Amino acid sequence: MGQLGYNLFLIGFMGSGKSTLAAHLGKRFGMEIIEMDQWISKREGMSISEIFDKHGEEYFRNLETNLLKEAQEKKNTVVSCGGGVPMREENVIEMKKSGKVVLLKASPETIYERVKDNHDRPLLENNKSVSYIAHLMEQRREKYEAAADIALLTDGKTIAKIGDELIEKLMPADSQKERQI
């Protein structure tokens, strides 16, 4: 696969593997990587938790939407989206204007193992349990699935395997488009 003429937006629950897959795709295909939370944190000069505390969730969600609009000027970029991004219909519309939305899925147990030692997750900080994670995941599942062009399970797979599965799913879509032209 050469350079993509569009962007990839990785969505999924925190700990589903978005950042790891973004880094893998960046190395493997020379894609620019946008880590949404890191970009916002750097621009605002404070952590995501501090943005939530100081300005509130709505302010933060607006920053996410603005970043998705900016991404439309790019191609061959992989955007690792914050977990709440697909919950806003407007964000899904913005993502689809310049790329494909890839949903990464993992079990609540896998998510727990991946995030239990991380303290920069405002929504989980005082609720780190498999049952709470399962509850939050279920609240988001419908919107995540509705937003996704492609869905991949990440449980028990290497990042190289997940990357290969993604490429396999992208290729038929790309070659079908060429046949239609």
Side-chain angles (χ1 to χ4, degrees):
M1 185 174 97
Q3 296 245 318
L4 288 180
Y6 52 86
N7 298 321
L8 293 176
F9 295 91
L10 306 183
I11 65 167
F13 202 75
M14 58 189 93
S16 61
K18 300 182 300 274
S19 296
T20 311
L21 182 59
H24 174 76
L25 294 172
K27 275 194 206 98
R28 193 164 161 194
F29 301 110
M31 298 181 81
E32 182 184 343
I33 300 166
I34 295 177
E35 277 289 342
M36 188 174 268
D37 284 355
Q38 281 179 15
W39 265 54
I40 290 172
S41 183
K42 193 173 175 183
R43 280 189 176 171
E44 294 292 303
M46 59 183 94
S47 72
I48 301 303
S49 298
E50 288 171 328
I51 295 169
F52 266 69
D53 291 346
K54 192 171 178 186
H55 299 290
E57 185 174 356
E58 183 71 10
Y59 177 86
F60 175 73
R61 298 300 172 199
N62 290 335
L63 294 174
E64 290 179 323
T65 302
N66 292 338
L67 185 50
L68 292 173
K69 289 177 180 172
E70 280 180 49
Q72 289 168 27
E73 295 163 23
K74 299 177 176 292
K75 284 187 173 70
N76 200 51
T77 298
V78 57
V79 181
S80 176
C81 296
V85 167
M87 302 308 286
R88 243 190 200 189
E89 191 66 36
E90 181 186 1
N91 290 347
V92 177
I93 292 164
E94 294 302 334
M95 289 188 283
K96 289 183 183 279
K97 284 179 184 173
S98 69
K100 295 190 188 317
V101 180
V102 180
L103 170 61
L104 300 183
K105 297 163 89 169
S107 70
E109 293 76 12
T110 298
I111 300 287
Y112 175 75
E113 284 305 313
R114 291 176 182 169
V115 303
K116 67 181 181 189
D117 299 322
N118 185 310
H119 298 289
D120 198 28
R121 312 270 187 185
L123 292 175
L124 278 190
E125 196 42 54
N126 300 310
N127 285 299
K128 280 199 191 119
S129 70
V130 171
S131 60
Y132 184 72
I133 289 168
H135 169 73
L136 258 186
M137 287 173 78
E138 186 51 36
Q139 282 183 329
R140 292 180 171 190
R141 184 177 56 83
E142 198 176 310
K143 291 210 187 236
Y144 277 14
E145 289 176 359
D149 295 308
I150 294 170
L152 299 168
L153 285 169
T154 65
D155 287 320
K157 293 179 187 166
T158 65
I159 204 63
K161 170 90 174 114
I162 297 162
D164 289 345
E165 286 180 18
L166 174 58
I167 302 314
E168 263 173 52
K169 290 188 176 195
L170 287 173
M171 294 322 281
D174 287 348
S175 52
Q176 281 168 3
K177 270 192 189 146
E178 284 167 23
R179 283 198 295 271
Q180 288 172 356
I181 294 169

